[in-house]
Amino acid sequence: MKQYCKFESALDILIGKWKPVILLQLIANGTMRFSELLKAIPDINKRMLTQQLRELEYNDIVHREVYNQVPPKVEYSISEYGQGLSKVLQVMNDWGEEHIEHMESLHGADRLEKKSD
């Protein structure tokens, strides 16, 4: 049972619809402001983005830099520690693309119709 505990702690970082998307944006684009993340992820709302960024910051995956100026400027980036997730996320993203292609080859357009039923 103990061997699964380490796996679960890794999953806690990635669980949720938005965390992997946020992390992939930061990995691909480097440092981003809150408004840039909102534009890059149009389906997320401000509250959810704030919550997910706070959790990622708490776990030292994302670094939050606050600049003392008016108006306030806050930038987010992958922390040095969080860089270790880059390979994991890329592999998961690649597998996701392959899975979509696989499902389309198996079920074609019917897959999308049945999924929404």
Side-chain angles (χ1 to χ4, degrees), residues 31 57 63-67 73-77:
T31 301
E57 182 184 7
H63 173 72
R64 180 176 185 257
E65 184 74 32
V66 180
Y67 295 89
K73 179 180 174 182
V74 179
E75 293 181 334
Y76 297 90
S77 59

